[in-house]
Amino acid sequence: MKNKKIVIAVDSFKGSATSKEVSEYIENGINNVCKDFLIKKVAIADGGEGTVEAIVDSTSGKYIFEEVHGPLGAMVKARYGIINENIAVMEMAEASGINLVKREELNPFKTSTYGVGEVLKSILDKGIREIYIGVGGSATNDGGAGMLASLGAEFYDCDENKIGYTPIELKKLAKIDLSNFDKRIFESKIIVLSDVRNILCGENGASYIFGPQKGASPEDVKELDSILKNYGNIVDKLSGGNYSSKPGSGAAGGLGYALLSVCQAEFKEGIVEIMNLIGLEETIKDADLVITGEGRIDNQSVCGKAPVGIAKMAKKYNIPVIAVVGSSARNLEEIYKNGIDLVLDIINEPMDLDKAIKDVKELLEFTGEKAIRAFLIGNKF
């Protein structure tokens, strides 16, 4: 097995291990069996958590930290990356993520994306005009109004009184003034990295689909949806297009909508764009085995998730692919049709989520051993 090349590119296990940590633990497991492999670890993401780290680390970029307003207004330190000196990559969750709010304080009527706009301004101030934005993990349902406000948009009620930009204020929205909006946005190429196809409003919209995980009750969801519908009508008229019905407009509580409509951003499938940015194909094409994975895999993972995107690339070169996952659905027919040859679940005995998170290092090492033993069996024939 000497000189056999193994590429490990696994998405983060949310709440327990980063992409980099998962790869390290799997590598430890492989080395417990045989230390003769050439192992190449690649941090990966699909536009959600870990996007900045994956791109910056794989391209030898640099990190910038900026003090901005968090989802409930308190100051937080948000990180973004710069690669090739003229491209920025950011995650909305660094400024407005659900991870920044205590569970008991979650309130989609009061959270905002204001800090996202502040990160954008920091990037623009550095003269950068190509910006990638990962939009997963939001605590917000403001339609991106907070971001627009921090970039100069002003909101008014029907009596011409200026109002705020959180949903509780947007109930009164009658007019938006963009005359003081930061014009540098229109000089920029903004690419949204996302696998979310939901529209802004309705039963498949931001409020109904994602509102409950952000603290919204069934009654709250209806009200939030109504607020976004009115907001969307006003912004659509202002922007001259039906952006509220475009796929992805419901991403990150409607932040996708503000980026599409006002900022004229492009939406791209996160994993595909990230693989291109970090040159993953060059790393994979001469591998003997690719190990990928994520926290949870099921047939929905074929819709823009990292493991399937990586598997499809590996199959261009007829490379076997093993997915190491936190948990999996029973039926994985679509997963196996899309390039993954074997799915290995890290759970090796009955256990609750807290124990799985606590023991993730040991469980991943053990599964790394299983993965390489399966590969070795295949190479005996």
Side-chain angles (χ1 to χ4, degrees):
M1 288 297 107
K2 215 164 206 174
N3 300 321
K4 290 283 186 182
K5 179 180 176 181
I6 300 172
V7 174
I8 307 174
V10 184
D11 203 350
S12 64
F13 280 33
K14 291 178 178 59
S16 57
T18 65
S19 172
K20 188 185 292 187
E21 289 169 339
V22 173
S23 294
E24 288 172 357
Y25 302 155
I26 291 172
E27 180 184 38
N28 292 343
I30 292 170
N31 286 334
N32 288 341
V33 176
C34 178
K35 290 185 168 64
D36 289 339
F37 297 105
L38 172 63
I39 298 175
K40 175 68 176 175
K41 304 188 296 295
V42 182
I44 199 71
D46 56 20
E49 178 186 339
T51 293
V52 170
E53 183 175 65
I55 296 174
V56 172
D57 287 1
S58 297
T59 57
S60 301
K62 63 181 178 181
Y63 293 107
I64 304 291
F65 294 86
E66 195 71 48
E67 288 279 339
V68 301
H69 290 85
L72 288 171
M75 301 305 289
V76 298
K77 188 175 281 189
R79 179 179 70 165
Y80 65 90
I82 297 177
I83 62 174
N84 302 330
E85 299 300 325
N86 62 352
I87 299 173
V89 55
M90 59 179 280
E91 294 175 39
M92 77 81 60
E94 285 281 318
S96 303
I98 198 166
N99 58 305
L100 300 174
V101 183
K102 293 177 182 175
R103 182 175 293 275
E104 62 272 18
E105 293 179 358
L106 284 171
N107 187 337
F109 286 98
K110 294 183 177 179
T111 50
S112 90
T113 52
Y114 194 89
V116 176
E118 291 177 306
V119 174
L120 279 169
K121 283 199 291 187
S122 173
I123 291 169
L124 295 171
D125 288 345
K126 289 178 170 53
I128 295 172
R129 298 293 183 268
E130 185 172 347
I131 306 165
Y132 289 81
I133 305 178
V135 294
S138 76
T140 56
N141 204 94
D142 69 347
M147 177 197 70
L148 296 180
S150 66
L151 292 167
E154 295 177 329
F155 303 90
Y156 295 89
D157 64 17
C158 58
D159 296 318
E160 295 289 328
N161 296 311
K162 192 172 179 181
I163 60 172
Y165 43 79
T166 58
I168 202 165
E169 287 284 305
L170 293 173
K171 287 180 187 181
K172 302 172 284 187
L173 182 66
K175 174 186 169 186
I176 301 173
D177 183 357
L178 294 176
S179 57
N180 293 319
F181 195 73
D182 195 327
K183 302 300 188 291
R184 297 175 298 175
I185 286 289
F186 307 127
E187 303 165 1
S188 305
K189 179 182 179 182
I190 299 175
I191 301 99
V192 180
L193 304 175
S194 176
D195 61 352
V196 172
R197 307 298 291 165
N198 302 82
I199 58 175
L200 183 65
C201 301
E203 292 185 1
N204 194 39
S207 304
Y208 276 90
I209 301 300
F210 305 112
Q213 69 195 38
K214 301 170 187 181
S217 70
E219 286 305 309
D220 291 337
V221 164
K222 292 178 185 176
E223 186 173 7
L224 288 164
D225 187 63
S226 176
I227 291 166
L228 286 186
K229 188 171 184 180
N230 175 57
Y231 168 77
N233 287 337
I234 293 169
V235 175
D236 274 355
K237 286 176 185 175
L238 201 59
S239 303
N242 190 22
Y243 293 99
S244 57
S245 65
K246 286 188 177 292
S249 58
L255 175 66
Y257 172 65
L259 289 166
L260 275 169
S261 59
V262 179
C263 301
Q264 295 295 295
E266 300 175 58
F267 262 63
K268 294 197 175 179
E269 190 174 336
I271 183 57
V272 173
E273 200 66 19
I274 290 169
M275 288 192 302
N276 290 337
L277 278 170
I278 67 177
L280 186 61
E281 186 162 359
E282 192 64 28
T283 303
I284 279 180
K285 68 181 185 182
D286 61 346
D288 296 284
L289 171 67
V290 170
I291 298 177
T292 185
E294 61 184 340
R296 166 78 180 175
I297 199 166
D298 53 37
N299 286 329
Q300 294 303 308
S301 297
V302 300
C303 303
K305 293 297 185 181
V308 171
I310 292 165
K312 287 178 178 177
M313 179 175 283
K315 282 303 178 252
K316 287 171 62 176
Y317 302 96
N318 201 30
I319 301 165
V321 179
I322 297 174
V324 172
V325 301
S327 65
S328 65
R330 288 186 179 182
N331 176 13
L332 295 174
E333 182 180 354
E334 292 303 314
I335 296 300
Y336 291 126
K337 281 181 182 176
N338 280 274
I340 291 175
D341 299 296
L342 175 66
V343 174
L344 294 176
D345 192 316
I346 68 170
I347 304 301
N348 58 2
E349 63 183 49
M351 66 178 70
D352 59 25
L353 179 61
D354 288 342
K355 179 171 173 55
I357 290 172
K358 176 176 172 289
D359 295 344
V360 69
K361 180 176 184 293
E362 176 188 333
L363 293 168
L364 280 165
E365 287 182 0
F366 179 64
T367 311
E369 287 190 29
K370 287 197 289 186
I372 201 61
R373 289 188 186 280
F375 174 68
L376 291 171
I377 288 172
N379 275 269
K380 287 180 179 178
F381 298 97

